[in-house]
Amino acid sequence: MNIRHWVRPEVWNMAGYLPGEQPDAGRPFIKLNTNENPFPPPLPVLEAIAAADPAQLRLYPEPSSRPVREAAAAAYGLEAGQVVVGNGSDDLLTILLRTFVAAGECVAVPEPTYSLYHSLAQLQGGKFVGVPWEGDWQLPLQALLAHRPKMVLVARPNAPTGHVIPLSVVAALCQQSPGVVVLDEAYVDFAADNGLALLAEHPNLIIIRTFSKSMALAGMRIGLSFSSVAIAGQMHKVRDSYNVNRLSQLAAVAALQHLASYQPLLQTIRDERQRLTAALRQRGFQVPESQANFVLAQVPAGGWGGQAWLEALREAGILVRYFGQDPALVNHLRITIGRPEEMAQLLEQVDRLLAMQSSSTPAP
Ligand SMILES: *Cc1c(COP(=O)(O)O)cnc(C)c1O
């Protein structure tokens, strides 16, 4: 018996997305590997979750997450009909691929970027095209469009680089694209600007956001998409009927009603990001300017490689992410911005490991 005869070739032949490690609760790691928020959500959000009535869980949630869509519309100056809520933004990405990309149709993406785009396009039987970023992380606009893609996905800020492309380039992409443009704003609350104002002028633009990073609710699985009402209507037909659970809807509404109470926490993360960027550069790492809640750090030349750094930091109780299987990211560590004391401990360990290397101790 070989199950290969039963499994769809698209599934059999794909590697599957590999999420970052979530260690057991008992292990005291400093967790800088999956871009979660190092702070809990603000008190009003925690209180709203704690006040939920568990007896209500016997009932299905509101199918279209209407209270969340209304709160998002009020918070971001949209109509509720323009918003679709997902079980995390990964759910919205799946919905978008299923809504727009038929088997064999092209999905084009600048790379390196969030590798789930590739997995989801493969699952859908789409033709995935990854085009390398141009020098200084510029969007390879013409090279992407040369494939006449049904869908272009761009993360802004991008992961794992943290860079942002100019909004004028996003506008040009929408204007010239024969298909839809998905702007993934997972990290936009840590950035200087966002693409919301482009929605009104570009009917093929879809923006997605997540509550997993800036909103400190990764465990709740909440994402939003913003688009035309017409596109949202098609997406609603594709999503699971009850794709967002009651507790998550409640938490999402509370977070959207208390956006201002997130500001101090977001500012702390931006400040720590600037501090860490400077400190790592001072120590010989190459770190591009990031507008996200992480930095991408190329390890100093002549010392250990990326895999050795990953393992030595893990040994020291610090988890970071290494994507060494991608040739463009060899010897680059992606480090999530943590609390100030966590960043101090990281730098302490970096200094210790650099000293070990200069006294030529072999890599672990
Ligand atoms: C984390 C992340 C997501 C997924 O967010 P969820 O809402 O947790 O599914 C989507 N896109 C990018 C670029 C991300 O980094």
Side-chain angles (χ1 to χ4, degrees), residues 142-211:
Q142 294 314 323
L144 288 165
L145 293 177
H147 297 277
R148 305 301 296 162
K150 193 68 181 295
M151 175 181 287
V152 179
L153 292 138
V154 181
R156 182 185 189 278
N158 187 51
T161 57
H163 79 279
V164 296
I165 59 171
L167 287 172
S168 59
V169 173
V170 179
L173 176 65
C174 293
Q175 200 121 51
Q176 297 175 40
S177 210
V180 295
V181 173
V182 178
L183 189 65
D184 186 344
E185 292 194 333
Y187 299 100
V188 82
D189 292 335
F190 304 106
D193 59 12
N194 66 68
L196 269 186
L198 298 175
L199 272 179
E201 290 157 59
H202 301 282
N204 59 341
L205 174 64
I206 300 141
I207 295 176
I208 62 173
R209 302 251 179 116
T210 176
F211 285 42

Side-chain angles (χ1 to χ4, degrees), residues 34-35 87-91 93 113-114 116-117 155 157-159 184 186-187 208-213 218 221-223 294 334:
T34 51
N35 298 345
N87 183 32
S89 57
D90 289 351
D91 181 32
L93 286 167
T113 191
Y114 188 36
L116 185 73
Y117 303 152
N158 187 51
D184 186 344
Y187 299 100
I208 62 173
R209 302 251 179 116
T210 176
F211 285 42
S212 299
K213 280 76 184 232
R221 314 298 304 123
I222 304 156
F294 57 82
R334 192 197 66 190

